[in-house]
Amino acid sequence: MGFARACSVALVGVEGVLVEVQADLEPGVAAFTLVGLPDKTLVESRDRVRAAVVNSGAQWPQKKLTVGLSPASVPKAGAHFDLAVAVAVLGAAEVVDPGAIADLVLIGELGLDGRVRPVRGILPAVLAAAEAGYRQVVVPEQCAGEAGLVPDVAVLGVRSLRQLIAVLTDAVVPEEEPPDRPGRPDPMRAGLVVPGAGLGTGLARGGGDAADAPDLADVAGQYGARRALEVAASGGHHLFLSGPPGAGKTMLAERLPWLLPPLDRQDSLEVTAVHSVAGILPPGEPLVGRPPYCAPHHSATMQSLVGGGAGIPRPGAVSLAHRGVLFLDEAAEFSGKVLDALRQPLEAGHVVIARAAGVVRLPARFLMVLAANPCPCGRHTLHGAGCECPAAVIRRYQARLSGPLLDRVDLRVEVEPVTRSDLLGQGGRGESTATVAARVREARDRAAVRFADTPWRLNSEVPGHELRTRWPAAPGALAGAERDMERGLLTARGLDRVLRVAWTVADLRGHDRPGALDVAVALELRTGIARGAAMDTGARR
């Protein structure tokens, strides 16, 4: 009787669970049994593994074979267990030393010819292995760069099962011919990209060149909206742009990610893990370095926006936009239930999805931008434009953005139509993205110094109680906000959000703490009611 074990990783959302792959050979009729709560894809691995072993020049054991995946209570899905199953079987058959594979974590799909194909979710899988104490992992050659992002882990990238057998038996490692021909795409990379998994959501490529980014100077006019964009980027505040069609709402939102500073190491790993699981990690770019930008269509379903699907829930748009920007264009056209599903992740920074297959917690800390027309035809706020929408239709259209959702939006800006002088450049071009991004970085640096010994990094993340007690505003600065709260114009949450925005305005102006003018600007941005406060946050017209 032969027995051997190896290790692999089961992915539950964007978290990994170590799985011990055990192979047992007994005398009897040749059979291959796979146990341990496998899904259909994993059950099919029996045929893939057998063909891969034979075509790699090894002898398939003609005995009763049982492969167990432990713990049996965890659902296992995907073809990335193939490599671990094959090596465990070869260890039980004593083709390789069982002791040499006991501490190996193996991840990869096998082709019938023995090639090791790349799979999704390599980064979270290797992170889980490292946290469990494993220091050696074997992955497909195309995924070695992604696995190498995890420190203190030795990564072996293999192109075929034949190469891995040679490494484990101390034989000469055979050279494998490249699977692709010059001028043709690599078919082995097909496992890294999943059709329909989010490639059309407008995600910003990691490590993109800022020189190719859309420039804020291309936006004609809209000085108030540009300043609101700067405040949103500096403090991580959610933004609502309302205005007629063609005013530049989408142009403004598309330029917001490039105002944000590059992701730090920890955030890059979080974003890369989500994108790897979702199958949208750009080939050849294992680490996402820029904040992502996700703009789903207004016909998006609840599952595509929040996450879900059959079996183990998959990341939705809110998770794909983690540490970046989620832009909902034509927000009033979204389903009311879909929009209200955003309320919990907006507050918590993550989303918890409960399904019959399990409960998954996915990261979802994003900067949300809503854009909507004032009415179905879009001409309601234009004088003499001939809006014929009945009042009841306008109310119903605007009511799709519920009060509880808008209460979580810090900045509300009316985007005015572009004038002829602005469009023709008679007033001069506005500031470039690089100029505004530099001020955003300075403001974030001031906030980072203030929050150095705390778990928060941005003003939008600080609880209201801490702002009121630990970092109070100047004496009398909140008098106007308190009056609005007494009149019912502000909720308790709204007052806290006004104080957060006031701190961001103060950071942009270089103030030590918010004064009455900073709070007045925050109130005007929050309520949309003109209060005579100068909107200048340091930007020059």
Side-chain angles (χ1 to χ4, degrees):
M1 182 177 69
F3 176 83
R5 65 173 183 265
C7 289
S8 192
V9 180
L11 291 176
V12 182
V14 294
E15 299 177 355
V17 178
L18 262 293
V19 173
E20 189 177 68
V21 181
Q22 305 167 346
D24 178 70
L25 284 174
E26 297 179 357
V29 178
F32 189 170
T33 304
L34 185 64
V35 297
L37 210 59
D39 73 338
K40 179 66 174 176
T41 305
L42 191 49
V43 169
E44 293 174 350
S45 70
R46 294 178 299 183
D47 299 320
R48 291 194 301 271
V49 169
R50 182 187 293 109
V53 169
V54 173
N55 290 328
S56 296
Q59 186 71 29
W60 182 259
Q62 298 299 319
K63 296 181 179 180
K64 181 182 178 182
L65 171 62
T66 303
V67 174
L69 307 176
S70 179
S73 59
V74 176
K76 290 88 177 177
H80 62 276
F81 290 96
D82 288 0
L83 195 59
V85 171
V87 171
V89 171
L90 292 174
E94 298 184 350
V95 176
V96 299
D97 181 11
I101 64 174
D103 294 329
L104 274 184
V105 176
L106 303 109
I107 306 164
E109 176 186 347
L110 286 175
L112 299 183
D113 56 355
R115 289 185 298 172
V116 181
R117 303 182 63 90
V119 293
R120 296 175 286 113
I122 288 291
L123 178 58
V126 177
L127 283 171
E131 291 176 359
Y134 290 86
R135 292 295 175 261
Q136 292 180 307
V137 298
V138 180
V139 299
E141 186 180 58
Q142 293 89 339
C143 301
E146 182 180 346
L149 298 174
V150 182
D152 302 326
V153 174
V155 178
L156 173 62
V158 295
R159 186 174 292 176
S160 67
L161 180 60
R162 189 182 300 106
Q163 287 184 337
L164 180 57
I165 294 174
V167 172
L168 294 175
T169 57
D170 293 328
V172 178
V173 178
E175 290 290 337
E176 298 287 349
E177 295 183 1
D180 57 332
R181 285 183 261 175
R184 285 192 171 185
D186 186 356
M188 296 288 284
R189 291 192 177 274
L192 295 176
V193 179
V194 179
L199 294 179
T201 56
L203 285 162
R205 291 171 62 102
D209 189 359
D212 299 331
D215 198 343
L216 193 60
D218 296 335
V219 180
Q222 305 301 353
Y223 299 108
R226 290 164 60 97
R227 295 188 185 97
L229 213 67
E230 184 177 342
V231 173
S234 300
H237 306 289
H238 306 304
L239 175 63
F240 176 38
L241 300 172
S242 176
K249 301 186 294 295
T250 303
M251 289 185 66
L252 289 164
E254 289 174 345
R255 284 148 178 80
L256 180 55
W258 299 97
L259 298 181
L260 304 177
L263 300 175
D264 60 24
R265 179 74 178 183
Q266 181 60 35
D267 290 346
S268 293
L269 290 176
E270 292 178 4
V271 174
T272 302
V274 175
H275 289 196
S276 179
V277 170
I280 57 175
L281 199 62
E285 298 179 7
L287 187 65
V288 179
R290 292 290 315 174
Y293 170 79
C294 190
H297 191 260
H298 60 257
S299 61
T301 62
M302 180 87 72
Q303 290 75 15
S304 66
L305 193 65
V306 178
I312 297 297
R314 296 176 56 81
V318 296
S319 296
L320 300 180
H322 179 60
R323 297 298 179 186
V325 176
L326 176 67
F327 176 46
L328 303 183
D329 200 4
E330 305 295 345
E333 299 292 345
F334 280 80
S335 165
K337 291 183 178 180
V338 170
L339 289 175
D340 285 338
L342 297 174
R343 287 151 55 178
Q344 186 260 343
L346 284 175
E347 287 290 325
H350 63 267
V351 59
V352 178
I353 305 172
R355 296 290 186 271
V359 180
V360 173
R361 182 181 185 272
L362 300 171
R365 187 169 296 281
F366 53 88
L367 197 164
M368 183 181 68
V369 180
L370 302 174
N373 298 326
C375 68
C377 76
R379 300 191 298 268
H380 178 61
T381 57
L382 300 178
H383 298 291
C387 175
E388 297 180 355
C389 298
V393 173
I394 296 175
R395 286 196 301 270
R396 186 163 55 250
Y397 183 81
Q398 296 178 348
R400 294 182 184 178
L401 300 176
S402 66
L405 176 64
L406 291 180
D407 196 40
R408 291 166 167 82
V409 178
D410 301 334
L411 314 176
R412 305 176 190 178
V413 179
E414 286 287 339
V415 181
E416 300 293 336
V418 180
T419 63
R420 180 172 59 88
S421 62
D422 289 333
L423 190 60
L424 297 179
Q426 296 176 3
R429 284 168 59 89
E431 290 182 310
S432 66
T433 297
T435 302
V436 179
R439 284 202 301 270
V440 169
R441 284 194 297 271
E442 292 175 2
R444 288 201 172 201
D445 290 342
R446 294 189 185 98
V449 172
R450 186 166 61 250
F451 304 138
D453 299 325
T454 70
W456 313 296
R457 289 182 290 177
L458 299 175
N459 292 318
S460 60
E461 301 174 357
V462 184
H465 173 73
E466 295 289 338
L467 282 178
R468 292 191 299 270
T469 58
R470 193 169 177 178
W471 297 288
L478 291 176
E482 293 169 354
R483 286 195 299 269
D484 282 2
M485 187 176 179
E486 292 175 355
R487 296 170 183 169
L489 298 177
L490 280 179
T491 62
R493 180 193 289 121
L495 181 62
D496 290 341
R497 290 184 175 273
V498 166
L499 188 53
R500 293 169 185 163
V501 176
W503 265 108
T504 301
V505 175
D507 288 336
L508 284 167
R509 288 173 163 168
H511 298 170
D512 293 335
R513 57 177 175 171
L517 188 57
D518 299 324
V519 174
V521 172
L523 278 171
E524 187 166 330
L525 289 170
R526 168 77 183 180
T527 63
I529 301 174
R531 299 167 184 269
M535 290 284 290
D536 188 6
T537 58
R540 296 183 299 273
R541 294 202 179 192

